[in-house]
Amino acid sequence: MIRHFARREWWADAVFYQLYPRSFRDSNGDGVGDLDGVTERLDYLSALGVNALWLNPVMVSPMADHGYDVADPRDIDPLFGDLTALDRLLAAAHARGIRVTMDLVPNHVSSAHPWFLEALADPSRRDRFIFRDGIGDAPPNNWVSVFGGPAWTRVPDGQWYLHLFDSAQPDLNWEHPEVFEDVEKTLRFWLDRGVDGFRIDVAHGMAKPPGLPDMSLTDNALLRNKEDDPRFDNESVHEIHRFIRRVLDDYPESVAVGEVWVHGNERFARYLRPDELHLGFNFRLVQADFDAAEVRAAIDNAMSAADLAGAVPTWTLSNHDVEREVTRYGGGARGLARARAMALVMLALPGAVFVYNGEELGLPQVDLPDEVLQDPVWERSGRTERGRDGCRVPLPWSGDAPPFGFSANPDTWLPMPADWAGLTVQRQDADPSSTLNFYRRAIELRSRRPEFDGGVHWVRDGAFTRDGGLRCVLNTGAAPVTLPAGEVLLASGPLTGGLLPPDTAAWLV
Ligand code: BGC
Ligand code: MG
């Protein structure tokens, strides 16, 4: 497969670092990470070699869904700092050649947003949301929330409002012109301040089908929708993306990457048409087991989905919504070895790569006790789904005990495991074979070496080449395999006697 991109944009082969601001670094001792904490650690990110940051939401929010419930889209929540803290971060990041993108949440707002308070108080002001009368005492239709439970909540005067996520996240009515006007104001507000683009939350949501027909209730897995799910992927969502793109086009070099969970490549590619999103998250690698044939199928699928639209592919092994990959691949030393091998595969591919904070330290998922869980999924699922807190535990920086230099406050917003002393940045800095030094080297080679160029050609499952001359081999089997001839640029673990051991990958030229 040979790939031709029309123009070489900065994001076309960028490494984005997804930063969960609550968990990266706390500068003011309240136990929660913040923007000045990010600014303090920019040299760390610069040494890691990333080209851009994606900040999860930092706008004003009651934090029912940790910032994905936005009450004021054009200001920073005091928990994270203020607008001047963002300005400091932007200036310091740009000075290091690192771009900064933010999360945009256009599908819903917080129930504390002034529009929603107005709607509650005055039934004639409800048209910016999706309010309906019920059917007798039942909600208007059978839709369920992605977080569990019904997607409708009743207000005291008897009407119901729609929320595809938590009841504190009422869905906006994108048929209302003020919704467009307000989102345009928000986009320009941040772009004018120097932000380099957005990750668009639930980019397949926003538009709702006429008449709000019932859904089939057989599968409601988190953020995974089926072909016939009327809650998502409705035709008029594309008008919304074209509108967002027109605004971004006023800011050369800005980028929009959408969270697009849709059924099938044709549907996916529609979001990446030249006048819609620049990039779309593809989650196939997140869903693939550690198996050479599955990994190959996921890569081929993601490349052909992007190809359908002439777009750049994207790669991600984890994010703030999914179990950390070390644990997904089996946990312990073996899970870590596999996660490192997969990182090498991912960083060998053409396109934009997203590294989720802590991935570069090989952090595992944390098994948290019930009483500290905060994700609304836990309560909304009737305490049957533990939710996403286990992948959001703060990063360990230094020292031998929690809070490991993340904060001056031992009472961090989620407890940090006592056995993370060996995973701190300080410890890994000093160890040439650490996961951190491995990531640094891999990103450096990817950005510097000419071999990382052109398309992907499969030699067999678990082995591909790039036009530029790179060879990437992955061993997901139980026995060592022979390495191809050539110079080993980097391996994800020790190589023994010219062989590639199980759970290991290598780059050769
Ligand atoms: C985000 C989630 C968030 C949800 C609702 C997503 O897909 O990634 O973290 O809970 O949208 O905004
Ligand atoms: Mg703080």
Side-chain angles (χ1 to χ4, degrees):
M1 197 185 314
I2 298 191
R3 310 186 46 79
H4 301 283
F5 301 129
R7 284 183 294 155
R8 199 89 193 147
E9 309 281 4
W10 68 264
W11 37 262
D13 56 5
V15 177
F16 285 78
Y17 186 83
Q18 181 196 346
L19 202 146
Y20 201 66
R22 294 182 83 83
S23 299
F24 186 72
R25 156 85 187 149
D26 173 25
S27 73
N28 65 352
D30 64 356
V32 183
D34 42 52
L35 291 175
D36 280 336
V38 179
T39 306
E40 277 174 16
R41 298 296 152 100
L42 277 172
D43 286 337
Y44 169 79
L45 297 170
S46 186
L48 184 58
V50 302
N51 309 103
L53 308 181
W54 151 30
L55 302 176
N56 284 102
V58 288
M59 292 84 173
V60 175
S61 163
M63 305 288 165
D65 187 20
H66 292 332
Y68 284 100
D69 48 321
V70 179
D72 181 351
R74 293 183 288 278
D75 202 355
I76 301 288
D77 194 276
L79 194 62
F80 296 123
D82 56 17
L83 288 168
T84 63
L86 181 76
D87 292 343
R88 284 192 290 277
L89 167 56
L90 289 172
H94 290 160
R96 289 164 176 80
I98 298 175
R99 317 239 183 185
V100 181
T101 65
M102 295 177 95
D103 232 299
L104 181 82
V105 189
N107 181 68
H108 43 264
V109 293
S110 161
S111 51
H113 188 288
W115 283 0
F116 195 71
L117 299 178
E118 201 180 318
L120 286 182
D122 177 357
S124 76
R125 301 289 291 158
R126 290 187 172 168
D127 51 354
R128 291 176 293 208
F129 297 93
I130 303 175
F131 275 85
R132 294 285 186 279
D133 292 328
I135 304 168
D137 266 341
N141 71 17
N142 74 347
W143 289 9
V144 289
S145 149
V146 173
F147 290 166
W152 296 92
T153 290
R154 199 169 197 184
V155 298
D157 58 47
Q159 276 209 316
W160 301 75
Y161 68 89
L162 178 71
H163 52 87
L164 292 183
F165 295 88
D166 193 69
S167 56
Q169 294 165 297
D171 278 51
L172 286 164
N173 171 20
W174 272 90
E175 283 170 25
H176 199 297
E178 277 181 44
V179 172
F180 282 85
E181 283 161 25
D182 197 71
V183 167
E184 175 163 358
K185 255 164 95 181
T186 299
L187 290 166
R188 292 191 189 278
F189 179 85
W190 299 113
L191 291 163
D192 286 340
R193 265 199 127 78
V195 165
D196 299 291
F198 299 92
R199 176 266 190 185
I200 314 248
D201 188 55
V202 204
H204 54 299
M206 302 182 274
K208 309 297 185 291
L212 306 179
D214 277 350
M215 63 184 284
S216 109
L217 289 171
T218 49
D219 179 17
N220 185 42
L222 184 65
L223 304 178
R224 207 151 302 171
N225 59 309
K226 299 196 310 164
E227 206 163 0
D228 59 351
D229 186 337
R231 298 172 303 169
F232 298 110
D233 196 23
N234 289 291
E235 188 52 35
S236 50
V237 76
H238 297 289
E239 276 165 40
I240 301 170
H241 287 297
R242 285 191 281 268
F243 149 77
I244 292 174
R245 179 60 178 262
R246 280 196 297 276
V247 178
L248 263 69
D249 281 346
D250 284 346
Y251 299 81
E253 305 209 2
S254 65
V255 65
V257 48
E259 180 198 28
V260 184
W261 289 95
V262 295
H263 190 90
N265 289 350
E266 264 80 28
R267 303 298 301 181
F268 179 83
R270 291 160 60 85
Y271 289 77
L272 297 174
R273 289 177 287 197
D275 56 350
E276 299 195 33
L277 292 163
H278 301 92
L279 296 169
F281 275 110
N282 191 301
F283 299 108
R284 288 296 301 259
L285 270 191
V286 175
Q287 292 163 319
D289 283 338
F290 188 76
D291 170 86
E294 265 198 51
V295 169
R296 176 180 183 169
I299 291 171
D300 277 348
N301 188 279
M303 302 254 297
S304 42
D307 244 6
L308 280 176
V312 169
T314 68
W315 309 103
T316 177
L317 291 173
S318 74
N319 63 34
H320 64 297
D321 290 330
V322 301
E323 189 177 40
R324 282 200 179 268
E325 66 272 45
V326 169
T327 306
R328 256 184 9 241
Y329 297 141
R334 185 187 219 197
L336 178 60
R338 291 176 167 184
R340 288 169 59 141
M342 286 303 297
L344 216 53
V345 170
M346 172 171 78
L347 288 164
L349 294 167
V353 173
F354 290 79
V355 174
Y356 175 51
N357 61 192
E359 187 174 320
E360 78 282 16
L361 301 175
L363 298 187
Q365 187 79 1
V366 180
D367 203 4
L368 293 162
D370 292 4
E371 60 278 10
V372 305
L373 296 181
Q374 305 196 14
D375 186 349
V377 168
W378 173 237
E379 290 300 336
R380 288 197 62 87
S381 68
R383 303 193 163 198
T384 56
E385 305 258 350
R386 301 191 69 72
R388 302 159 291 174
D389 295 308
C391 66
R392 299 174 176 178
V393 171
L395 263 59
W397 289 93
S398 58
D400 292 316
F404 295 117
F406 162 71
S407 170
N409 188 340
D411 194 17
T412 53
W413 76 276
L414 285 173
M416 303 175 67
D419 64 2
W420 274 11
L423 293 172
T424 62
V425 170
Q426 186 184 37
R427 214 49 107 69
Q428 298 204 36
D429 240 341
D431 172 5
S433 69
S434 70
T435 304
L436 176 58
N437 280 320
F438 162 71
Y439 259 86
R440 286 174 176 156
R441 181 93 182 112
I443 293 173
E444 191 218 327
L445 290 168
R446 174 189 164 89
S447 54
R448 182 168 60 79
R449 299 280 305 213
E451 291 88 353
F452 291 74
D453 196 43
V456 166
H457 310 273
W458 290 97
V459 180
R460 55 177 166 79
D461 290 353
F464 63 84
T465 61
R466 298 276 306 268
D467 291 320
L470 179 76
R471 273 172 290 170
C472 180
V473 268
L474 165 72
N475 185 1
T476 62
V481 296
T482 317
L483 278 171
E487 177 204 343
V488 176
L489 268 188
L490 184 63
S492 65
L495 302 178
T496 36
L499 296 176
L500 184 69
D503 304 322
T504 309
W507 286 345
L508 297 99
V509 292

